[in-house]
Amino acid sequence: MSARGRNLLVAGVWLLAAGAALGAGAYVEPSWGRLLCLIAAATALRIALRTVWHSARSARLEGRPAEHSQGRQAVVRLRGEITAVTVDRTGRRLSAVLAAHPPVLEIDLARVTLLTRDGTQVFFDAVRTAHATGIPIVISNARPQPRATLHTLGLDRVLHYSHDT
């Protein structure tokens, strides 16, 4: 069974659990018991919806390339917060693009709202891989906060910037 099929199966089980909790709530007499059943149903429904959401999102992301060609360089557009929580996902995206050995890797930070010190690990890993294979990395559209974090950690020495905002 594929990962998407497993995710949908898990979501179905959580939907059944939500239905069971709602059904049990109809038969529980004390009002606090009904409240507990409603909380359990809401939690199960939330887990099911998040599972479906992540499954659909990963299917959508797998359907499109991780990079966009502009000429010959690969462009990766990052967004949101790059923290210790998101560093693995971001690292996988950058590694996949670097594995294709583009002549230049452009990392667009226009939509990055926060870059923490923990999140910069992904840039250190990308720079290490790119340096070993001779691929230059260009950071584009860096907002002041992410750029300041990169500068503070000394990545300015190995990264190039373009399209500064």
Side-chain angles (χ1 to χ4, degrees):
M1 180 180 286
S2 70
R4 186 173 183 207
R6 280 191 302 271
N7 284 343
L8 293 177
L9 180 64
V10 168
V13 170
W14 280 108
L15 284 173
L16 285 174
L22 281 175
Y27 296 106
V28 174
E29 188 51 41
S31 59
W32 61 267
R34 287 185 182 157
L35 180 63
L36 287 177
C37 287
L38 282 175
I39 291 171
T43 302
L45 182 61
R46 180 178 186 268
I47 292 170
L49 291 175
R50 286 192 65 148
T51 304
V52 169
W53 170 261
H54 288 298
S55 178
R57 182 179 164 106
S58 67
R60 183 176 53 124
L61 291 177
E62 288 170 5
R64 73 171 194 210
E67 63 186 74
H68 303 287
S69 287
Q70 291 181 346
R72 293 181 47 203
Q73 70 183 20
V75 180
V76 177
R77 289 178 175 82
L78 302 179
R79 66 181 175 151
E81 297 180 351
I82 302 176
T83 63
V85 175
T86 62
V87 75
D88 289 335
R89 180 183 52 198
T90 305
R92 284 191 302 270
R93 283 185 67 195
L94 292 175
S95 294
V97 173
L98 286 169
H101 301 290
V104 177
L105 171 60
E106 179 182 342
I107 302 173
D108 187 347
L109 298 181
R111 296 177 65 189
V112 172
T113 56
L114 175 68
L115 176 62
T116 64
R117 288 176 180 251
D118 295 336
T120 58
Q121 181 61 43
V122 72
F123 292 98
F124 283 107
D125 294 342
V127 165
R128 185 179 316 116
T129 303
H131 180 71
T133 57
I135 301 170
I137 296 180
V138 176
I139 302 293
S140 65
N141 304 314
R143 292 182 178 190
Q145 190 280 324
R147 184 158 183 173
T149 303
L150 292 172
H151 174 73
T152 301
L153 296 175
L155 281 167
D156 278 354
R157 291 182 227 136
V158 292
L159 297 173
H160 305 285
Y161 292 91
S162 71
H163 309 292
D164 289 329
T165 57

